[in-house]
Amino acid sequence: MEDTSVEKRSLVQKQLTTLYENHGQQTLFKEEDPIVKRYVSELWAHMIAKKRIDLEEPKRMARMINADTMEHAAGLEIGTERICNDAWEKLQLSKLLRKQGWSTDDIQLACTQIISRATYPASELETARWIQENSAVCTLSGYDKESVTKDKLYQSALRLYDAKNAIELHLSERTNDLFDLRDRIILYDLTNTNFEGEKRSSALARFGRSKEKRSDARLVVLALVDNIEGFIKYSSVLQGNITDCKTLSATIYKLAVHTIGHQAVVVLDAGYNYR
């Protein structure tokens, strides 16, 4: 190899090593130098002829893994679920629910439910099917997948709602700690949503001014308070016929004694104008 420099001999060595690691397959980016290319081809053929390298095992393995005939069983999704589970751990929600007297099994089911709703929003029945057939969420939460039913998801959701105030206070404090936030500016607004059923026995569903122009359907009002970074501070579900201004004083009181604890600017829209 007297016609090559040290750099070119180094390239030949690297090319031969890459060929061996790829079981004799060429790389995507081929060598352009004709001298290097010639020596790689000659030396590779020489090593094969002299049986200096063993490619029989890689060839056998390549036949075993045929991409055209591959099949798999129990393939489950875990990408988004893993991200949500990491958020659950960072927010220390298991620790909070344990302080509320929840058992390990109940905490794992709540974790399963919340991650599932964030990843695949659906009804309890559809969520249970999705957990059974499509997701590896139970592998992350530790809950027995075979025990997931729509009725257990209903019960878990109701229990989570009963702990709503404690959860919202904890999340408000925890996100402030994680991101070093002070909540000097608070955003507050209302919206409403309608029911397709009559909801005659509901304590909250009322006929009101629908933002979707559904004067034929009963509504509930959703009130939401968040900071300028987008983290929720407080939420509530109110009667469908309540006006914006009637909710303001109660919400500010809730923020003062329950969530914020210091002076802050509350930003509203024109719907709260008092007369």
Side-chain angles (χ1 to χ4, degrees), residues 115-181:
I115 292 175
S116 299
R117 294 309 180 93
T119 305
Y120 183 77
S123 66
E124 283 77 6
L125 179 61
E126 180 63 17
T127 299
R129 184 205 62 77
W130 178 77
I131 292 172
Q132 296 282 355
E133 299 179 4
N134 296 93
S135 177
V137 61
C138 289
T139 302
L140 298 171
S141 68
Y143 192 75
D144 179 19
K145 181 172 72 172
E146 301 303 323
S147 299
V148 177
T149 65
K150 65 178 180 62
D151 293 330
K152 287 187 176 181
L153 292 176
Y154 273 121
Q155 294 165 7
S156 179
L158 291 172
R159 193 171 180 190
L160 282 167
Y161 188 76
D162 289 338
K164 169 183 171 297
N165 288 337
I167 293 172
E168 286 186 336
L169 177 58
H170 172 82
L171 291 177
S172 174
E173 294 173 346
R174 183 63 184 149
T175 51
N176 281 8
D177 290 342
L178 285 172
F179 298 99
D180 192 25
L181 306 178

Side-chain angles (χ1 to χ4, degrees), residues 7 13 16 37 41 51 54 73 76 90 95 126 134 137 195 213 224 228-229 256 273:
E7 290 78 10
Q13 180 188 20
L16 290 171
K37 188 175 181 180
S41 178
K51 298 183 178 180
D54 182 10
L76 301 174
K90 288 286 187 182
K95 182 179 179 181
E126 180 63 17
N134 296 93
V137 61
F195 294 97
K213 311 301 181 184
L224 189 67
I228 58 175
E229 288 78 16
N273 185 27

Side-chain angles (χ1 to χ4, degrees), residues 102-128:
W102 288 46
S103 68
T104 299
D105 198 55
D106 290 337
I107 293 172
Q108 290 174 345
L109 177 59
C111 178
T112 302
Q113 166 133 260
I114 290 174
I115 292 175
S116 299
R117 294 309 180 93
T119 305
Y120 183 77
S123 66
E124 283 77 6
L125 179 61
E126 180 63 17
T127 299

Side-chain angles (χ1 to χ4, degrees), residues 15 25-33 36-37:
Q15 290 282 341
Q25 300 297 317
Q26 293 289 339
T27 59
L28 179 62
F29 301 102
K30 297 181 180 180
E31 180 59 51
E32 297 297 332
D33 190 300
V36 173
K37 188 175 181 180

Side-chain angles (χ1 to χ4, degrees), residues 6 15 41 54 56 63 80 91 99 104 127 129 151 170 178-179 182 194 202 208 222 236 241 247 264 267 269:
V6 174
Q15 290 282 341
S41 178
D54 182 10
E56 293 303 316
R63 288 196 299 271
T80 307
L91 293 171
K99 286 182 179 180
T104 299
T127 299
R129 184 205 62 77
D151 293 330
H170 172 82
L178 285 172
F179 298 99
R182 298 297 303 276
N194 64 277
S202 173
L222 310 175
S236 61
N241 59 354
T247 68
V267 180
D269 64 18

Side-chain angles (χ1 to χ4, degrees), residues 36-53:
V36 173
K37 188 175 181 180
R38 176 171 59 84
Y39 274 114
V40 168
S41 178
E42 290 177 357
L43 290 171
W44 181 256
H46 177 75
M47 288 188 291
I48 294 294
K50 296 294 184 179
K51 298 183 178 180
R52 299 295 178 88
I53 55 176

